[in-house]
């Protein structure tokens, strides 16, 4: 519902889907992260519906894995026990605890994908359990 509204507003305002945002992303409904550009976006019905937005990912030794995953669970006000820190708007997509969540995009993480506050809320509200997340190199 929100995705349709976002896509409609973007089309109405004349925004084109950035060509680089679709390069290599094969998700039909879900999200993509392009690690080399530090960009993430949402996809709805095969088209970019939100973003790309600035993101950060895992630092050396804690790399965010490349591949295609499924959204496993969502936790609005999560707390990372191993790293003793908040993870607002967490959307988990690996069984090893990697998620999109709100955080400082100027700092690399222990594997999670950090997003600005507004973007993390849009990802949380629009990604559904079972939808695909593709992490590109």
């Amino acid at each position: 519902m929100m995705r349709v509204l976002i896509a409609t507003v973007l089309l109405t305002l004349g925004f084109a889907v950035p060509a680089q945002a679709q390069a290599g992303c094969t998700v039909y409904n879900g999200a993509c992260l392009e690690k080399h550009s530090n960009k993430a976006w949402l996809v709805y019905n095969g088209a970019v519906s939100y973003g790309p937005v600035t993101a950060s990912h895992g630092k050396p030794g804690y790399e965010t894995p490349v591949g295609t995953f499924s959204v496993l669970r969502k936790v609005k006000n999560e707390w990372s026990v191993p790293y003793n820190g908040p993870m607002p708007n967490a959307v988990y997509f690996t069984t090893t605890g990697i998620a999109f969540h709100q955080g400082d995009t100027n700092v690399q993480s222990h594997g999670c994908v950090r997003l600005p506050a507004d973007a993390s809320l849009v990802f949380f509200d629009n990604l559904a359990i079972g939808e695909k997340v593709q992490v590109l190199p």
Side-chain angles (χ1 to χ4, degrees):
M1 301 6 122
M2 177 68 136
R3 290 184 262 207
V4 173
L5 177 61
I6 290 169
T8 302
V9 168
L10 290 175
L11 289 173
T12 302
L13 294 174
F15 286 94
V17 173
Q20 75 275 13
Q22 289 188 349
C25 181
T26 60
V27 169
Y28 189 74
N29 286 312
C32 285
L33 167 69
E34 191 176 65
K35 290 171 47 171
H36 77 269
S37 67
N38 290 318
K39 297 292 181 187
W41 60 94
L42 294 177
V43 179
Y44 183 66
N45 288 340
V48 176
S49 62
Y50 178 77
V53 297
T54 299
S56 69
H57 51 83
K59 60 187 170 185
Y62 297 93
E63 290 85 359
T64 305
V66 171
T68 302
F69 309 90
S70 294
V71 174
L72 301 174
R73 63 188 177 102
K74 297 169 29 169
V75 183
K76 182 71 176 157
N77 295 303
E78 183 68 297
W79 185 266
S80 171
V81 173
Y83 303 108
N84 195 30
M87 296 172 52
N89 303 318
V91 179
Y92 288 92
F93 60 89
T94 75
T95 57
T96 58
I98 296 186
F100 289 107
H101 66 80
Q102 178 183 328
D104 184 350
T105 59
N106 293 311
V107 179
Q108 288 185 302
S109 70
H110 289 95
C112 284
V113 180
R114 293 181 177 165
L115 300 169
D118 58 340
S120 74
L121 184 59
V122 174
F123 274 57
F124 185 85
D125 286 346
N126 285 279
L127 284 170
I129 305 297
E131 286 187 325
K132 298 301 179 192
V133 172
Q134 189 173 15
V135 178
L136 301 165

